[in-house]
Amino acid sequence: MLNTVRYDGPAGTPLLIAHGLFGSARNWGVIAKRLSADRPVIVVDMRNHGNSPWFDSQSYADMAADLAEIIDQPMDVLGHSMGGKAAMVLALKHPEKLRRLIVADIAPVPYQHTQMGPLSAMRRVDPAKVSNRNDAKEQLGDLEPGVADFLLQSLDMKEKRWRLNLDVLEADMPQIVGFPDVTGVFDRPTLFLSGANSTYVLPEHRPIIKPLFPNAKFAKIPGAGHWLHAEKPREFEAAATAFLNMPSPG
């Protein structure tokens, strides 16, 4: 069972949040707490991340099954990037477990990019020889702005280790940047919420999205890239809240 962090809120449909690659539940703490003003919120550490167990697979079938285990009543589900793909597979395989779905800046398609750069950077760090986060940051080397600080949230200084299963994440990177051949339809309300400066969700993806998610709506947050929830948290929260609070169709 995945490690979960729960935020109590008023009675209503709970919201389950699934983070992206190299992330953790703690990355979503501030947003989760604010969203819990309207509903209970549950944030998970995905497998091989954070305080969740380590397994020898990072497939989307397995990640979706992990999420399904958490859901004991119909929930709203929000997933970002890798977590968004896992949430889509969950919705397609177990539509009865979801009321609404928010997919943050990802599409159900394979991507050509790889995330081996950050992973290789983490391998350059020897946690046993690091005395503080600044030392670790220097060892990470040159990364895109903000990436080093994000990765260091998964460095356990007390235990002198990464809270990420780097070996499995590296081995399964083709699956992580890909998308499985999954059948099914999720015909309940779905929001594809993207950063306006991101290229992860493009107009040419819509003919792929619509047969799987026929009630999909699309929205963009101005001035945000792929890390839209971190770059524009208030706008992200407002868009998510507005969608989750919409009257259910029918």
Side-chain angles (χ1 to χ4, degrees), residues 19 55 74 90-91 93 100 108 111 117 121 129 155 157 168 178 185 209 216 229 237:
H19 65 76
F55 298 94
L90 170 70
K93 287 192 167 189
R100 291 174 184 263
Y111 290 86
K129 297 180 179 178
L155 180 61
M157 293 295 299
V168 169
V185 174
I209 292 170
H229 60 292
E237 293 156 20

Side-chain angles (χ1 to χ4, degrees), residues 167-185:
D167 290 343
V168 169
L169 296 179
E170 180 175 1
D172 276 5
M173 191 63 72
Q175 291 191 73
I176 295 169
V177 299
F179 193 76
D181 183 9
V182 58
T183 58
V185 174

Side-chain angles (χ1 to χ4, degrees), residues 62-97:
D62 287 334
M63 285 187 271
D66 292 342
L67 297 177
E69 267 195 348
I70 302 294
I71 299 177
D72 55 5
Q73 67 181 92
M75 293 187 183
D76 296 328
V77 177
L78 187 167
H80 171 249
S81 200
M82 179 189 76
K85 286 186 172 182
M88 284 188 278
V89 174
L90 170 70
L92 295 170
K93 287 192 167 189
H94 302 283
E96 75 284 354
K97 287 183 173 284

